[in-house]
Amino acid sequence: VPKKIAVIPGDGIGREVIPAAVSMLRRAAPGALEFTEFDWGAERYLRGGLAMPAGGIETLGRDFDAILLGAVGDPRVPSNAHAAEILLGIRFKLDLFANVRPVKPLHDRLCPLKNLAASDIDFVVVRENTEGPYAGVGGNFKRDTANEVAIELDLNTRHGVERVMRYAFELARARRGCLLMADKSNAMPHGHGLWQRTFAAVRSEYPEVAAEHMYIDALAYQLVRDPRAFDVIVTNNLFGDIITDLAAALQGGLGMAASANLHPGRTGMFEPVHGSAPAIAGRNQANPIGAILSGALMLGDLGFAAAARRVEAAVQRALEENHVTADIGGTLGTIECAGWIEAGIETSADEQEHATEKN
Ligand code: NAD
Ligand code: IPM
Ligand code: MN
């Protein structure tokens, strides 16, 4: 039975990079996936005032094995209301508490740091994905007056902090055994004190993991100065958002970065880290690799590890031969780059079958 994939291209370049990723997935895992496209996004919102039908997200969680999302955000919706409804709606309603964002440059020339090779950088950011200031708790008082008060509460729960930390420790144990927790407990003792205390409790259950702590500002510094030592980084929703754009720069830019929104055992959501990039939308300029690699993360999560590796290998080859878009130094358009990578998957698949036959 094919796995059911809900596809939400969304807005802007999401509508260019997601078709590329879907086409790639069809090639990488023939017959294994069945795609259903949803038109949720700004167009629909501007037409009818609703970004999606009522109960839409619950349907995704119930009837699909995974969700592939492009990006949401449109200058015609300055409040970003539809994007919050779709993107944050999926993360919150499906309780996808771990936003997993791997950081690994796939070619030396993608790494902007002097004297570092691509192989020097290989870490994963695990970002808490359901709490913090994103929870929407707050309000405005005396709005639009000189005395206006605006509150955006940083919500941290014991349950929420503990589960994402445990997820990160498990991941660290399966990787190189190093975990770094980053917070701002020196200035935010209530919420981030909870992160500290939870960290102390959970790390005692994982004596085999080398666990360290940094304040988030020091981590930002270290990520640029020398990111070689990092393996798994766990942090809160807002800090995780910020450092993963920074980390995207370490792997060639936002066009390259992939992510998974997970709650083990449930329908996950896979999306590139970048947004809808309105300035380049509709011009066949967007780098499709972040979306393609998000598709590879999805394949891996659904149990198609070999297909995921075939996609990564094809991307790697496109980088080696510079069949890529302008943001990473190539000359191809979105469609041409994706087409080249996709054609490369066939070759890798053939080679692999050939190798299997020989063994
Ligand atoms: P952005 O990621 O869309 O763009 C930042 C910069 O990176 C721009 O210069 C853009 O041209 C470039 N860029 C991004 N993706 C690229 C790609 N694939 N290829 C080449 N260049 C790429 O961030 P932004 O400009 O802050 O946000 C634009 C809109 O997207 C906003 O509405 C924002 O809220 C939304 N957004 C959505 C998501 C999401 O849906 N997951 C994520 C981030 C931002
Ligand atoms: C991301 C985005 C979103 C976030 C925005 C669009 C709400 O920046 O997925 O990284 O902050 O989580
Ligand atoms: Mn972001």
Side-chain angles (χ1 to χ4, degrees):
V1 187
K3 299 282 186 193
K4 296 187 71 180
I5 313 300
V7 178
I8 308 171
D11 304 326
I13 62 168
R15 302 163 79 92
E16 298 170 75
V17 298
I18 289 303
V22 168
S23 175
M24 183 90 35
L25 288 165
R26 286 190 204 279
R27 183 73 64 101
L33 311 173
E34 184 184 288
F35 298 93
T36 307
E37 190 169 318
F38 293 84
D39 69 347
W40 303 357
E43 286 295 340
R44 190 191 162 111
Y45 178 82
L46 289 166
R47 269 201 321 269
L50 279 178
M52 71 182 84
I57 292 173
E58 290 77 1
T59 305
L60 297 190
R62 209 175 35 240
D63 299 345
F64 291 86
D65 296 297
I67 303 162
L68 184 66
L69 181 124
V72 279
D74 187 301
R76 294 169 300 169
V77 189
S79 71
N80 215 31
H82 75 293
E85 212 183 311
I86 298 167
L87 179 70
L88 302 182
I90 291 172
R91 290 177 183 166
F92 293 174
K93 288 186 180 160
L94 302 184
D95 202 28
L96 305 176
F97 66 85
N99 191 330
V100 177
R101 298 185 155 184
V103 182
K104 188 177 167 186
L106 295 178
H107 194 281
D108 283 344
R109 92 187 127 71
L110 295 181
C111 174
L113 300 180
K114 257 194 302 193
N115 308 324
L116 285 198
S119 56
D120 289 329
I121 301 177
D122 180 3
F123 63 92
V124 178
V125 178
V126 178
R127 164 189 179 190
E128 201 294 319
N129 213 26
T130 56
E131 304 192 340
Y134 283 69
V137 181
N140 297 78
F141 179 54
K142 300 185 181 174
R143 193 182 163 131
D144 295 326
T145 73
N147 298 318
E148 174 157 359
V149 178
I151 294 175
E152 206 82 64
L153 197 129
D154 182 19
L155 182 125
N156 298 271
T157 70
R158 165 80 66 166
H159 172 67
V161 176
E162 189 172 326
R163 66 182 178 175
V164 77
M165 232 174 251
R166 192 159 271 130
Y167 183 95
F169 269 99
E170 291 288 334
L171 182 62
R173 185 158 70 178
R175 286 173 51 94
R176 302 197 302 276
C178 302
L179 180 114
L180 182 105
M181 191 277 272
D183 63 24
K184 191 66 190 171
S185 49
N186 49 354
M188 301 171 75
H190 311 298
H192 296 185
L194 175 61
W195 278 75
Q196 286 284 338
R197 285 178 281 120
T198 308
F199 182 54
V202 175
R203 74 186 293 181
S204 69
E205 294 172 32
Y206 293 88
E208 67 279 36
V209 173
E212 281 183 69
H213 170 264
M214 273 187 194
Y215 297 118
I216 189 68
D217 49 351
L219 173 62
Y221 172 69
Q222 201 59 27
L223 280 174
V224 174
R225 208 185 69 90
D226 185 0
R228 279 178 294 188
F230 298 115
D231 181 12
V232 176
I233 295 172
V234 65
T235 190
N236 66 41
N237 205 341
L238 181 60
F239 297 166
D241 177 47
I242 297 166
I243 62 161
T244 53
D245 265 32
L246 190 161
L250 300 178
Q251 51 187 332
L254 277 164
M256 297 298 298
S259 80
N261 299 259
L262 303 173
H263 182 139
R266 299 202 192 170
T267 302
M269 191 257 281
F270 301 82
E271 49 161 352
V273 173
H274 66 71
S276 55
I280 61 164
R283 298 174 181 210
N284 194 35
Q285 285 177 14
N287 185 347
I289 294 179
I292 288 168
L293 292 174
S294 301
L297 288 177
M298 185 178 88
L299 285 172
D301 197 65
L302 291 173
F304 304 109
R309 279 195 299 273
R310 285 202 291 274
V311 172
E312 280 157 22
V315 167
Q316 195 114 35
R317 234 157 53 82
L319 292 165
E320 271 152 28
E321 302 187 22
N322 211 28
H323 291 286
V324 294
T325 47
D327 56 306
I328 51 171
T331 56
L332 298 188
T334 309
I335 293 170
E336 293 72 25
C337 168
W340 202 92
I341 295 170
E342 192 178 317
I345 290 177
E346 249 180 3
T347 317
S348 333
D350 290 345
E351 278 165 6
Q352 204 189 23
E353 272 153 29
H354 191 60
T356 316
E357 276 165 25
K358 279 201 295 196
N359 290 340

